[in-house]
Amino acid sequence: MASDNIMVVGLNGTLGHNLEQLYEENNIGNKKSKYFFYLSRNMVLDMTDKSRGSHIIKLHLTMEKLNKYKYNNMMEKEEWQESTKQLNALVKKGSLHT
């Protein structure tokens, strides 16, 4: 079950829920459908492929819709810089491995 909270205009439910539905509905017939099957299964969205059978086409997504989510949910610059400093400190301390 998808546990994300990514809401994109035009989708019913979260992005993860929609990818999960694609995974459940997908039939593996060729290399391309197999590719999208495994991406969906792992809750990964391929934003680069706009051909028939792709996530973008099946979910009726546009870059405008995805960017609207992205920019509505971006961290403020200062918050991002502080998070980066904290992660770097953890890496240097050895608490987090890269």
Side-chain angles (χ1 to χ4, degrees):
M1 174 165 245
S3 62
D4 68 314
N5 61 356
I6 301 172
M7 301 298 289
V8 177
V9 175
L11 293 181
N12 292 322
T14 66
L15 181 58
H17 172 74
N18 282 268
L19 288 171
E20 189 173 63
Q21 283 184 313
L22 288 180
Y23 157 69
E24 291 171 357
E25 296 169 0
N26 202 353
N27 296 321
I28 299 177
N30 57 33
K31 287 181 183 181
K32 183 175 179 175
S33 63
K34 187 175 184 178
Y35 167 76
F36 284 108
F37 172 83
Y38 284 109
L39 285 180
S40 299
R41 188 173 116 184
N42 291 303
M43 303 295 162
V44 175
L45 173 67
D46 183 338
M47 296 172 40
T48 63
D49 190 334
K50 297 177 184 130
S51 64
R52 199 176 100 210
S54 69
H55 287 148
I56 299 295
I57 297 300
K58 286 186 173 185
L59 295 175
H60 308 287
L61 295 173
T62 63
M63 291 312 293
E64 180 182 350
K65 289 178 184 177
L66 293 170
N67 282 333
K68 185 179 256 187
Y69 169 79
K70 176 183 170 185
Y71 291 114
N72 286 340
N73 295 283
M74 284 180 65
M75 290 182 186
E76 294 295 324
K77 184 178 179 182
E78 295 79 20
E79 184 182 0
W80 179 82
Q81 288 173 331
E82 182 59 33
S83 295
T84 303
K85 284 180 190 176
Q86 290 173 4
L87 282 172
N88 285 334
L90 288 171
V91 170
K92 286 179 184 177
K93 189 177 177 181
S95 301
L96 187 66
H97 301 285
T98 58

